[in-house]
Amino acid sequence: MARHTPPKPSLYISVDVEADGPVPGPYAMLSLGAAVAGRQDAAGYTPADPAADTFYRELRPIGTDFDPEALAVSGLDRERLLREGAEPARAMEEFTDWVRGVARAAGAQPVMCGYPASYDWTFLYWYLIRFTGASPFGHSGCMDMKTLYAVKAGLPLRAVSKRTMPRELLPARPHTHHALDDAVEQAELFSNLMAWDPSASTGR
């Protein structure tokens, strides 16, 4: 009889990026926040205190182009970051070390999660490969919270927004557009989504 090997546990890490434009390369990641959301193994998902294990850095912009509207969302001072922001290579090395450390402590493989993950993953993965040559999440260790909700709720993806979600799923923390605040807030949302049973929901 073949021996069944249990799947390796996953450690979900909520990530939020603030940037000065729509895509990395021509535009820069200005801040990076991350928070451990929880751990999943064959027995189920265990949420973490999202404020307990966190990472935050503000980065030096890598170019001269920026979108004023994108910059206004974060409220970050680009000129200050040109003087005081962390060098991207150092920040990405420190982030990689942090991810590997919390994953090792949890005995799990790290998975990035975001709302939506597409924007934050695009910047994060590009920066990791550009400045360190590797990603602690691999090339596909990413989960999108909008997709998770759409599948559980039985909704088309483009119909999903936080306004469509049941109130009990929404985090108590505010969405401030500060990368660490939002990473912690989204970690709470992720844990709520993982525990959510749509059949028991009281309504949207």
Side-chain angles (χ1 to χ4, degrees):
M1 180 182 295
R3 180 177 297 176
H4 175 68
T5 302
K8 293 181 179 179
S10 291
L11 185 73
Y12 295 99
I13 298 173
S14 170
V15 173
D16 187 77
V17 164
E18 299 296 330
D20 63 11
V23 293
Y27 301 100
M29 176 162 61
L30 301 182
S31 63
L32 168 64
V36 173
R39 182 182 185 275
Q40 185 181 26
D41 59 22
Y45 177 78
T46 303
D49 174 357
D53 287 313
T54 62
F55 179 92
Y56 180 70
R57 291 291 184 278
E58 294 181 354
L59 286 73
R60 180 181 57 78
I62 58 175
T64 58
D65 292 340
F66 65 92
D67 179 346
E69 291 185 7
L71 192 60
V73 168
S74 69
L76 290 166
D77 183 338
R78 199 173 187 278
E79 292 302 315
R80 177 182 66 80
L81 293 179
L82 285 168
R83 300 188 306 270
E84 302 174 5
E87 289 296 322
R90 178 66 180 272
M92 292 298 99
E93 289 168 0
E94 291 173 343
F95 176 70
T96 296
D97 288 344
W98 177 80
V99 169
R100 289 176 174 163
V102 294
R104 183 168 55 249
Q109 295 177 306
V111 176
M112 177 270 192
C113 58
Y115 186 97
S118 53
Y119 180 83
D120 303 285
W121 174 262
T122 297
F123 272 90
L124 180 64
Y125 187 74
W126 189 94
Y127 264 70
L128 286 166
I129 298 303
R130 170 67 179 80
F131 292 106
T132 73
S135 163
F137 304 105
H139 69 277
S140 62
C142 173
M143 181 178 285
D144 176 41
M145 296 183 208
K146 289 187 72 171
T147 303
L148 177 60
Y149 174 74
V151 171
K152 282 197 165 192
L155 291 173
L157 182 63
R158 295 300 293 270
V160 169
S161 73
K162 290 181 181 177
R163 291 188 299 275
T164 70
M165 293 183 177
R167 286 187 297 276
E168 65 265 25
L169 287 179
L170 300 178
R173 294 172 172 86
H175 193 80
T176 66
H177 292 291
H178 181 285
L180 181 55
D181 288 348
D182 291 354
V184 171
E185 178 229 3
Q186 289 168 182
E188 182 182 344
L189 174 62
F190 181 79
S191 290
N192 292 346
L193 284 167
M194 290 293 281
W196 181 50
D197 177 1
S199 66
S201 179
T202 58
R204 297 194 180 106

